[in-house]
Structure formats: C-alpha cells, structure tokens
Amino acid sequence: MASPPPPPPPPAAPFSLLLLLVSIALAAAQLQQPPPQGDVAALHKVFREWGLSLPADPCRPPFVKLFPKDASIAINCNCSDLTNEGCRVTHLKVTGYRSITRIPEELFSLTELVSLDLSNNNLSGSITPNIANLNKLELWHFNNNQLSGPFPSESSSLRNLQSLWMFDNNIDGPVPEFVANFTNLKDLRIYGMKLRGPISNKFSNLTNLTYLMIGDLGGDNSSVNFTGVWANLSVLSLRNCGLTGEFRSPIWRNLTYLDLRSNNLSGPIEKVFQYNRSLQYLYVGENKFNGSLPPGRPPSLRALDVTYNSLLNGSLPNNFSDGMMNYVGTSIAASGSGQSANISLLKCLGVEQCNQKDLTNLLSFAVNCGDKQYTSPLDPLQTMFNDDSTDLGAAGFHVNTSNNWVVSNVGADPFSISTGIVSTIKNISGTDMPNLYKTARTSTGSLWYYVVGLTSGTYTVQLFFAEIVIESESGRRLFNIDIQV
Ligand SMILES: *[C@@H]1O[C@H](CO)[C@@H](O)[C@H](O)[C@H]1NC(C)=O
Ligand SMILES: *[C@@H]1O[C@H](CO)[C@@H](O)[C@H](O)[C@H]1NC(C)=O
Ligand SMILES: *[C@@H]1O[C@H](CO)[C@@H](O)[C@H](O)[C@H]1NC(C)=O
Ligand SMILES: *[C@@H]1O[C@H](CO)[C@@H](O)[C@H](O)[C@H]1NC(C)=O
Ligand SMILES: *[C@@H]1O[C@H](CO)[C@@H](O)[C@H](O)[C@H]1NC(C)=O
Ligand SMILES: *[C@@H]1O[C@H](CO)[C@@H](O)[C@H](O)[C@H]1NC(C)=O
Ligand SMILES: *[C@@H]1O[C@H](CO)[C@@H](O)[C@H](O)[C@H]1NC(C)=O
Ligand SMILES: *[C@@H]1O[C@H](CO)[C@@H](O)[C@H](O)[C@H]1NC(C)=O
Ligand SMILES: *[C@@H]1O[C@H](CO)[C@@H](O)[C@H](O)[C@H]1NC(C)=O
Ligand SMILES: *[C@@H]1O[C@H](CO)[C@@H](O)[C@H](O)[C@H]1NC(C)=O
Ligand SMILES: *[C@@H]1O[C@H](CO)[C@@H](O)[C@H](O)[C@H]1NC(C)=O
Ligand SMILES: *[C@@H]1O[C@H](CO)[C@@H](O)[C@H](O)[C@H]1NC(C)=O
C-alpha cells in the first residue's frame, strides 16, 4: 500500500513577506484598487477587445441597471457571494456597435449570465460551441448581426432559455430540433436567415410560447402539425416556411397576430377565422385557401390580408373600411360590386389585353409615394407626380382610375403601429425636386405598384430614392426591387 502523500511544506516566511510587499506596492501604484478578478477581469478583456470603455468596477452603480430598453450598454451583477472571486456578471447588453465583429473567448467564462443581448452589432463567423457554458441563460439575443454557420449542437444545453432571438443573420442548417426541449421558451424569433425546414412536430411541446416567429425557410416543406396547445400564444408568424397541406390548429384564445403569408396552405378560409375573439391582424396572402369569407368582420379584427389566394371567391364581408382589408389577386375582386371602377381595374391584374381601350394618358405618368400630387417649380420637365397619400393601413390598396395604377400594401410590425408612410422635415439637397423625397411608403410585408393595361413595348422606369429613416449609419439598409410584366 502506498503511504499517504506528505503534507505540503509550510511556505517560506521571507518569500511570502516579499510577496506581500510586492502586492502592497502594486496596490499603492494603482491608487488602492486591487486588480479586477474573475468575471470583472473577463469583462474588461471583452470590452478592451471591442474598443469600448468600462469603469474599473462595472458592478457598482450607476452602471448596474436592469436593462433600460434604450440603453446600448447595460450590465448587472450579483455581488451577494464575495467568498471567491467577487461579483458575478448576470446580465450583459451591448447593442448597436458596428465595430463589434467577434466575441472574445473570455465572455464564455461569465457562467452566471442569465441574460445576454448582443443584438444589432456586426458579429460574423459561426456561434462557438462554448455558448454551452452559459447554461443559465434565460435570454439570448444575437439578432441583427452577420452570424453564419449552423446553430452548434452544444446550444442544446441552454435549457433555461425563455427568449431566443436570432433573426436577421446568415445562420444556416436545419431549424434546430433541440429547441423543442426548451420547455420554458416564451419567445422564439428565427427568421431572415438561411435555415431549412421542416419544423419538428416536437415544437408542439413548447406550451409556454407567447411569441413564435419562424420564417424564410428553405429545404423541405412542413405540415402545420408542429403547432400545439399554446395557451399563452399571442403572436404567431410563420411567413414563407414552406407550409403545405390543410391548415388546422388548436384554438388559441389569446392570439392577436397571425401571419401565414407565402406558404402553400389549403383548406377552407373559415379555419383562420376561428380565433375571432382576440385576433387583430390576420395575414394569409399567397396561399391556396378556398371557400368564401365570413359575412361580417369579427369585431376585434383590424387588418385582413387574403391577397393571391386564387381559389377564394364569394363576396366582400361587411364592416371593413379602407386600410383594413386587401383582396388583390382573388376572385373576390371579380365578384365585388360597389366601387365599380376600382373593381374593373382589379379584375385586370394579371390578365393580359385588359383595360386597353383608353391608353392615351398611359404613355407616361409618375407617382409621389406617400404624398399629395406634386410638380416641382424647378423641374425643367414639369413632371406631375400623382397623389399617392392614401393611408393603406396594415392591409389595403388604392386604385387611381384616371391613370390606371394600383398601389397595394400588406404587413405591419406586430410590436409597433406604423402608418406605412414615413416622412422627414429636413431639406433634401442635390435635386431639383426636393419635396418628392420627403415622404416614402414602407411595408413589413409586400408593397406593390401595378400599372394596368400596358401594351407590349419598351418602357422606361425611373425610381427615386432617398434614405430618410436610417440617417446615422451607412450600410444598414438592404432592399430589393422586383419589376414584373
Ligand atoms: C446571487 O447569488 C446567490 C448565490 O451566490 C444566490 O443565492 C442569489 O439568489 C443570487 N441573487 C440573485 C438576485 O440572483
Ligand atoms: C462589419 O464587419 C465586416 C467584417 O466582418 C466589415 O467588412 C464591415 O465593414 C463591417 N460593417 C460595418 C458597417 O462596419
Ligand atoms: C431532448 O431531450 C431529451 C430528454 O432529455 C433527449 O433525449 C433528446 O436527445 C433531446 N433532444 C435533442 C434534439 O437534443
Ligand atoms: C411553463 O409552463 C409550465 C406549465 O405548462 C409552468 O409550470 C412553467 O412554470 C412555465 N415556465 C415559465 C418560465 O413560465
Ligand atoms: C413532448 O415531451 C414529452 C416529454 O416531456 C415527450 O414524451 C413527448 O414525446 C414530446 N412530444 C412530442 C410531440 O415530441
Ligand atoms: C402562461 O402565462 C401565465 C401568466 O403569465 C403563466 O402563469 C403560465 O405558466 C404560462 N404558461 C402556460 C402554459 O399557461
Ligand atoms: C411536401 O411536398 C411534397 C411534394 O410537393 C409532398 O409530396 C409532401 O406531402 C409535402 N409534405 C408535407 C408535409 O405536406
Ligand atoms: C398531421 O396530422 C394529421 C392529423 O393527426 C395527420 O392525418 C397527418 O398525416 C399529419 N401530417 C403529417 C405530415 O405528419
Ligand atoms: C389571455 O388574454 C386574456 C384576455 O385578453 C387575458 O386576461 C389573459 O391574461 C391572457 N392570458 C395569458 C396567459 O396571457
Ligand atoms: C408551393 O408549391 C409549389 C408546387 O406545388 C411550389 O412550386 C412552390 O414553391 C410552393 N410555394 C411555397 C411558398 O412553398
Ligand atoms: C377546399 O379545399 C379542400 C381541400 O384542401 C377541399 O376538401 C374542399 O372541398 C374545398 N372546398 C371548397 C369550397 O372548394
Ligand atoms: C367565431 O368563431 C366561432 C368558431 O370558432 C364561430 O362559431 C362564431 O360564429 C364566430 N363568430 C364570428 C363573429 O365570426
């Protein structure tokens, strides 16, 4: 049998005295501040690499705040256990820094973090497996960065997550099935990336979901069988997820916002009216729903989009006012009565050789997006831009019957009310038509202008842009333009 190891020798007294002297000297040199240790030291390294300044003791007020919404940096700590390495960092938010492109390793030693928000920076590369160290996280927001690669399988250990926002990145790979194990999840937003379907049926287990936003999936189609009895569900957005088959779901009594746009869902449209006690926004455009709409507007409903469901027919429901309903691209338009000039133009959308009897004023026309009719006194051509100031609400269209064009909008941000028209009071320089640029239309869904009844030929399309919303930073506006004939 081996004998037990001898006890360590006592340290040599003169040596420890020397150490003590050295550390006293160091402390004096640093104005009595001991060098930071543990989490605080790690945080200093992280901030130094990001080129951001940090007070020597970030755990002391005024820095310690519980995440004011508008703060770009917020830190919170737990200092109750001072026996080992000082305060532990529990909350970290650093957002809106385009200079932040990577996450220093030291961040993953902050193992007491419950909340980590690095949204709206410029992070790139893939998410490191070390994220698994942070298994106390309840909030993980990396949205609006340039992250790529798949979700690391190690992130499956983040079982305490309640809020996971990863939208608007370049992340690819399958929609991670392990997310279905995060049974505390209340808020999941994974869209605007390169993820692939299908969505696992295990998602039906996520009973605490209140906000679910998945979108823009490539890969295989899914049925809607992954939906479950989600009693707290308030916002459901499954736009462009390759959903096929008949739409069916439990009745979600707290649903206020439902977006199923751009899928291949079929079945009777009445199915999506079953949440009629709470639903305010209903977007089901670009699907294959059939049947006809209920005769009246459910009282809670503020916006209805059924555009491009070619199988829909029947008549228009009552009690919808302008900006509450868009039915362009359905047979409802064909059967509609009332605003007859509008209806006959709508019937022509997508139909060749339509409306071609009165083309004299169609040779040339112009539109002032979001504002009244306008001709600039400085414009040598004296171009007259048509009035396009109609508020289209969250789902609506407007028909200009004299020049035969239609503007159509669907979409609204579930979390902020916007009229869809933005404007600036600043002077626009460098143009002889300054007022033209002061207003614009915006849309979170789809915004189309249609010219009805053009004959075949060569046309010149001129688009006039000014950035009047994001004024502070360059490189943040991405958009595409689609011109179809
Ligand atoms: C702080 O940490 C201690 C353990 O070190 C824990 O008991 C306490 O609940 C924590 N406080 C908060 C507000 O999380
Ligand atoms: C974001 O980071 C990339 C490098 O990853 C860099 O090329 C780009 O300029 C950065 N963008 C901004 C707006 O700073
Ligand atoms: C989900 O959790 C179960 C039970 O702990 C485990 O067996 C399974 O592998 C997990 N699924 C994924 C995809 O991580
Ligand atoms: C999730 O829901 C279950 C009941 O289904 C509940 O016991 C649990 O506390 C909820 N979690 C959170 C974080 O609300
Ligand atoms: C839901 O989770 C339970 C265990 O918590 C599991 O037995 C069941 O198979 C899961 N349901 C689905 C559809 O995955
Ligand atoms: C729903 O929300 C309530 C109140 O916020 C909460 O008590 C409950 O645990 C949540 N989850 C479920 C499944 O009802
Ligand atoms: C997906 O599409 C294929 C081919 O269109 C079809 O055979 C299959 O049933 C669809 N899957 C689902 C889940 O609807
Ligand atoms: C979805 O569920 C329905 C009803 O349980 C079932 O008939 C159908 O086959 C399921 N579809 C898929 C693709 O799993
Ligand atoms: C569901 O909505 C009702 C009425 O709007 C509200 O009283 C209730 O608290 C909500 N339930 C949950 C769990 O959010
Ligand atoms: C709908 O299905 C058709 C084939 O039936 C396919 O070409 C199209 O891409 C699908 N659209 C969506 C949005 O999944
Ligand atoms: C609607 O489509 C479903 C199949 O998705 C079909 O069973 C039903 O008969 C159709 N209803 C009408 C009114 O066309
Ligand atoms: C609401 O939906 C239920 C079915 O879920 C239906 O019985 C009722 O008539 C609908 N009410 C209205 C006003 O549409």
Side-chain angles (χ1 to χ4, degrees):
M1 231 178 94
S3 58
F15 182 60
S16 63
L17 185 65
L18 187 65
L19 263 187
L20 190 68
L21 285 177
V22 167
S23 58
I24 286 173
L26 268 179
Q30 293 182 0
L31 302 169
Q32 260 104 44
Q33 251 174 29
Q37 289 179 297
D39 279 11
V40 170
L43 205 55
H44 274 280
K45 284 190 182 146
V46 169
F47 272 63
R48 206 173 308 129
E49 182 163 331
W50 284 343
L52 301 175
S53 61
L54 188 67
D57 185 358
C59 289
R60 209 170 330 133
F63 228 60
V64 179
K65 294 184 212 125
L66 256 183
F67 283 35
K69 271 220 165 66
D70 50 351
S72 59
I73 297 183
I75 293 167
N76 200 17
C77 308
N78 181 342
C79 299
S80 70
D81 181 8
L82 291 171
T83 53
N84 50 37
E85 294 195 311
C87 295
R88 301 300 313 265
V89 177
T90 55
H91 296 67
L92 176 62
K93 170 175 170 177
V94 181
T95 81
Y97 291 91
R98 308 306 286 173
S99 55
I100 294 181
T101 54
R102 65 177 290 272
I103 301 179
E105 269 319 288
E106 288 81 5
L107 190 136
F108 300 104
S109 67
L110 306 177
T111 53
E112 288 293 313
L113 276 177
V114 291
S115 179
L116 177 59
D117 182 352
L118 300 181
S119 58
N120 287 296
N121 295 311
N122 190 15
L123 295 173
S124 59
S126 49
I127 300 170
T128 133
N130 290 351
I131 191 72
N133 298 357
L134 310 183
N135 61 13
K136 296 201 171 164
L137 281 184
E138 293 171 8
L139 180 148
W140 179 20
H141 290 181
F142 279 6
N143 54 286
N144 296 91
N145 279 290
Q146 313 276 347
L147 292 164
S148 55
F151 275 94
S153 59
E154 289 80 359
S155 41
S156 65
S157 63
L158 304 181
R159 294 211 175 200
N160 293 307
L161 281 178
Q162 296 183 21
S163 180
L164 170 52
W165 293 7
M166 203 56 73
F167 55 90
D168 293 338
N169 274 296
N170 297 317
I171 289 174
D172 56 25
V175 173
E177 192 177 300
F178 58 74
V179 168
N181 274 347
F182 300 164
T183 46
N184 284 330
L185 207 58
K186 296 177 178 175
D187 190 344
L188 176 63
R189 306 187 191 181
I190 44 173
Y191 55 85
M193 303 194 287
K194 296 174 178 165
L195 290 177
R196 288 195 311 273
I199 304 168
S200 164
N201 285 350
K202 295 188 176 137
F203 275 56
S204 62
N205 264 355
L206 295 171
T207 50
N208 288 322
L209 281 176
T210 306
Y211 307 106
L212 177 62
M213 303 178 77
I214 306 181
D216 312 303
L217 301 184
D220 287 341
N221 48 13
S222 318
S223 72
V224 289
N225 287 9
F226 65 88
T227 59
V229 183
W230 298 327
N232 287 350
L233 192 66
S234 168
V235 170
L236 178 62
S237 178
L238 299 170
R239 205 193 285 181
N240 192 18
C241 285
L243 302 180
T244 58
E246 283 206 35
F247 180 75
R248 19 169 239 97
S249 81
I251 295 185
W252 295 304
R253 301 210 175 276
N254 276 43
L255 195 65
T256 58
Y257 182 101
L258 177 62
D259 186 346
L260 301 170
R261 281 178 60 76
S262 305
N263 287 294
N264 266 343
L265 292 168
S266 56
I269 190 75
E270 297 101 80
K271 281 277 177 69
V272 296
F273 281 88
Q274 65 184 336
Y275 324 100
N276 55 23
R277 293 187 193 182
S278 55
L279 199 61
Q280 297 177 8
Y281 297 91
L282 177 55
Y283 299 97
V284 297
E286 295 172 28
N287 277 292
K288 291 175 181 159
F289 286 105
N290 64 9
S292 53
L293 295 172
R297 177 175 66 89
S300 60
L301 199 62
R302 294 184 194 165
L304 172 63
D305 154 43
V306 294
T307 55
Y308 295 97
N309 279 273
S310 55
L311 302 175
L312 281 190
N313 51 33
S315 49
L316 283 173
N318 299 317
N319 300 325
F320 275 95
S321 48
D322 286 349
M324 285 183 128
M325 180 174 176
N326 195 334
Y327 54 92
V328 166
T330 67
S331 303
I332 297 170
S335 60
S337 55
Q339 316 147 292
S340 52
N342 286 359
I343 296 294
S344 67
L345 267 193
L346 283 185
K347 277 190 213 171
C348 276
L349 293 181
V351 178
E352 279 177 49
Q353 311 280 308
C354 196
N355 194 50
Q356 291 186 339
K357 48 193 180 298
D358 178 24
L359 281 174
T360 41
N361 55 8
L362 240 189
L363 293 174
S364 169
F365 76 96
V367 177
N368 185 9
C369 295
D371 211 349
K372 300 282 184 201
Q373 178 175 310
Y374 170 63
T375 302
S376 169
L378 304 173
D379 173 16
L381 300 176
Q382 288 296 289
T383 308
M384 196 263 274
F385 290 85
N386 289 180
D387 181 324
D388 179 25
S389 59
T390 310
D391 180 357
L392 300 177
F397 61 87
H398 173 74
V399 180
N400 178 312
T401 47
S402 50
N403 280 316
N404 296 318
W405 58 266
V406 180
V407 57
S408 162
N409 172 56
V410 291
D413 183 334
F415 306 104
S416 74
I417 306 286
S418 151
T419 62
I421 293 179
V422 290
S423 60
T424 181
I425 52 167
K426 290 197 176 161
N427 287 325
I428 310 276
S429 56
T431 169
D432 52 20
M433 301 182 289
N435 288 358
L436 186 66
Y437 297 92
K438 289 195 169 188
T439 57
R441 285 197 185 276
T442 65
S443 174
T444 57
S446 84
L447 177 62
W448 285 102
Y449 284 84
Y450 301 93
V451 188
V452 184
L454 289 179
T455 46
S456 300
T458 305
Y459 293 86
T460 301
V461 180
Q462 256 184 298
L463 302 165
F464 303 88
F465 288 104
E467 178 53 79
I468 58 173
V469 179
I470 305 172
E471 292 181 35
S472 54
E473 292 163 89
S474 60
R476 293 202 50 197
R477 166 83 68 181
L478 297 175
F479 64 103
N480 55 20
I481 297 162
D482 204 352
I483 299 180
Q484 294 177 355
V485 289

